[in-house]
């Protein structure tokens, strides 16, 4: 066995149906009494439901900020910080997907306030000490133990009405974390186990959710898989796939989960020649792979009935070359050397919505 280092990220997980009702107890455990609630404009009702639970337990929220936005733009963070200061909050509670959790992280790391989060998608951001922020059209990422939320509440009931399209893309977004953990520069056997188990759980449950959205067992298994994949993201150095998605999201305003879904098989095909062992392990947990992990991902995306083209989300063909230039402008650890021409072709295929192929 190769030598390795493993650092566990310290966070508390409360998992199970109706676990949202335990939020008051979690706040009391931390001796907190005035949380600021965070939502997106689309999830205002979730914040209202949360406030009712807290009020019933004699905990009065400091207020609710409802303008969390994709890619955590700096002006939104500054606006939320001003709101928080005027409300005299002693903690932050985010409920929603990556946009809301990202804002919670941005506030927490700037203020030192405890962050409790309640994910309603499968993106996995809640389990990472990583924060991606956008300013002036450029997305940058940083990692700091202080960014990691202290408590995560997984309540399957909050995912039961998640649209199947978003269930699928946020689930594949989570799988992307696990895939890159398999060949990360700091990979280790513990995270590899979590990556394979998380991928297997999601690859098996997501097609069921698409066909039967009310299947609670599948929803819960997807949530479990997303948790494991999120741990992988928080414990591993990400490579080409995540760099490409940050470029496309920050510079071209592509939607987060959908972009990860489209790019993943193409990024994996690019790295495939340099990661034979990871490809073998991944193929074993992807149904329909026939020994080829890239094919397994193509099959999975077909089952999930997701859009496969960046152009479907507004990216222009003339943006392909610019995206490639940005993606290769700063070299970063990756199993295969980053070269502009094949990266440009990778992005073109993702833009056009083609199946990933093993010839990059």
């Amino acid at each position: 066995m190769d030598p390795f280092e493993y650092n566990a990220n310290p966070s508390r997980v409360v998992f199970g149906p109706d676990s949202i009702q335990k939020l008051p107890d979690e706040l009391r455990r931390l001796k907190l009494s005035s949380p600021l609630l965070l939502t997106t404009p689309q999830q205002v009702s979730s914040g209202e439901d949360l406030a009712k639970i807290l009020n019933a337990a004699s905990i009065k929220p400091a207020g609710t900020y409802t303008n969390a936005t994709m890619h955590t733009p700096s002006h939104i963070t500054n606006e939320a910080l001003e709101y928080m200061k005027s409300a005299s909050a002693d903690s932050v509670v985010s409920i929603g997907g990556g946009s809301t959790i990202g804002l919670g992280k941005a506030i927490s790391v700037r203020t030192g306030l405890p962050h409790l989060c309640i994910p309603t998608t499968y993106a996995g951001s809640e389990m990472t000490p990583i924060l991606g922020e956008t300013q002036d059209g450029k997305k940058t990422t940083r990692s700091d133990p202080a960014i990691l939320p202290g408590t995560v509440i997984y309540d399957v009931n909050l995912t039961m009405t998640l649209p199947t399209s978003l269930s699928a893309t946020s689930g594949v977004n989570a799988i992307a974390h696990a895939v890159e953990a398999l060949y990360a520069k700091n990979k280790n056997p513990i995270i590899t186990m979590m990556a394979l188990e998380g991928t297997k759980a999601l690859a098996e449950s997501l097609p069921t959710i698409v066909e039967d959205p009310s299947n609670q067992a599948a929803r819960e298994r997807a949530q479990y898989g997303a948790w494991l994949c999120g741990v992988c993201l928080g414990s591993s150095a990400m490579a080409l796939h995540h760099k490409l998605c940050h470029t496309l999201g920050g510079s071209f305003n592509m939607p987060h989960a959908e972009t990860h879904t489209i790019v993943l098989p193409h990024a994996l095909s690019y790295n495939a020649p340099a990661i034979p062992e990871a490809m073998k392990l991944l193929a074993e947990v992807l149904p329909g792979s026939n020994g080829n992990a890239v094919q397994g991902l193509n099959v999975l995306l077909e089952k999930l009935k997701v859009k496969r083209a960046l152009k479907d989300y507004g990216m222009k063909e003339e943006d392909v070359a610019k995206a490639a230039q940005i993606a290769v402008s700063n070299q970063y650890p990756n199993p295969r050397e980053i070269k502009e021409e094949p990266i440009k072709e990778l992005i073109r295929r993702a833009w056009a919505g083609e199946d990933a192929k093993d010839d990059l």
Side-chain angles (χ1 to χ4, degrees):
M1 181 177 290
D2 294 332
F4 67 91
E5 295 180 1
Y6 172 66
N7 296 297
N9 286 326
S11 62
R12 174 176 169 82
V13 172
V14 180
F15 192 102
D18 296 322
S19 55
I20 192 174
Q21 299 294 333
K22 298 179 181 178
L23 176 61
D25 291 338
E26 292 302 312
L27 289 166
R28 291 192 185 101
R29 184 180 66 84
L30 296 168
K31 297 180 172 54
L32 302 170
S33 60
S34 185
L36 173 67
L37 310 183
L38 303 177
T39 76
T40 62
Q42 296 77 28
Q43 292 183 300
V44 171
S45 61
S46 296
E48 293 171 346
D49 291 342
L50 210 53
K52 290 176 184 176
I53 291 171
L54 294 173
N55 284 320
S58 300
I59 295 177
K60 183 174 176 58
T64 304
Y65 180 81
T66 62
N67 202 29
T69 304
M70 183 174 64
H71 304 308
T72 320
S74 58
H75 71 278
I76 293 293
T77 298
N78 292 335
E79 183 180 275
L81 283 167
E82 289 302 314
Y83 182 92
M84 183 211 70
K85 291 173 184 175
S86 67
S88 300
D90 65 3
S91 53
V92 179
V93 175
S94 58
I95 181 166
S99 298
T100 314
I101 293 169
L103 178 59
K105 289 178 172 182
I107 294 173
S108 176
V109 77
R110 284 168 169 79
T111 62
L113 294 184
H115 179 197
L116 299 83
C117 59
I118 306 165
T120 59
T121 70
Y122 307 128
S125 173
E126 66 278 359
M127 296 307 300
T128 78
I130 301 167
L131 174 61
E133 299 179 282
T134 304
Q135 186 168 8
D136 300 326
K138 185 175 182 181
K139 188 168 186 178
T140 57
T141 303
R142 60 174 166 144
S143 181
D144 186 323
I147 293 171
L148 182 72
T151 301
V152 181
I153 296 176
Y154 286 106
D155 187 337
V156 67
N157 294 334
L158 301 180
T159 70
M160 296 305 296
T161 58
L162 187 66
T164 56
S165 59
L166 184 52
S167 299
T169 54
S170 69
V172 177
N173 181 16
I175 289 174
H177 308 331
V179 168
E180 292 227 296
L182 291 174
Y183 52 75
K185 65 177 182 178
N186 59 341
K187 67 179 180 178
N188 67 70
I190 309 304
I191 294 300
T192 293
M193 285 193 298
M194 291 185 179
L196 295 172
E197 173 71 1
T199 298
K200 186 174 189 292
L202 283 160
E204 291 176 349
S205 60
L206 291 176
T208 301
I209 291 169
V210 168
E211 296 300 327
D212 181 12
S214 63
N215 189 314
Q216 181 171 324
R219 292 275 187 186
E220 198 159 30
R221 185 155 167 74
Q223 202 170 41
Y224 162 73
W227 168 20
L228 295 179
C229 292
V231 173
C232 294
L233 175 62
S235 305
S236 306
M238 296 291 104
L240 174 65
H241 169 79
H242 282 76
K243 300 298 183 182
L244 286 176
C245 290
H246 285 165
T247 295
L248 293 165
S251 298
F252 302 95
N253 202 36
M254 290 291 99
H256 185 82
E258 292 85 349
T259 300
H260 277 268
T261 299
I262 292 168
V263 170
L264 180 58
H266 298 285
L268 183 64
S269 71
Y270 182 92
N271 279 329
I275 52 169
E277 181 60 24
M279 294 295 289
K280 177 177 178 294
L281 293 172
L282 189 57
E284 291 172 357
V285 296
L286 289 172
S289 67
N290 291 324
N292 184 316
V294 173
Q295 178 182 327
L297 286 176
N298 284 333
V299 169
L300 176 61
L301 297 191
E302 283 295 321
K303 288 180 181 177
L304 298 183
K305 304 172 185 176
V306 292
K307 292 181 179 179
R308 303 285 299 275
L310 294 173
K311 65 181 180 181
D312 290 340
Y313 296 100
M315 185 175 181
K316 300 175 182 177
E317 188 170 11
E318 54 265 33
D319 291 334
V320 170
K322 182 180 177 183
Q325 291 171 356
I326 296 172
V328 303
S329 60
N330 293 314
Q331 290 295 311
Y332 40 83
N334 189 67
R336 180 181 169 189
E337 184 182 359
I338 304 295
K339 294 184 178 181
E340 185 169 338
E341 281 307 310
I343 294 298
K344 181 179 176 181
E345 173 60 13
L346 184 165
I347 296 172
R348 187 203 64 76
R349 292 177 184 182
W351 171 83
E354 298 174 7
D355 270 359
K357 296 181 290 223
D358 295 321
D359 60 351
L360 283 170

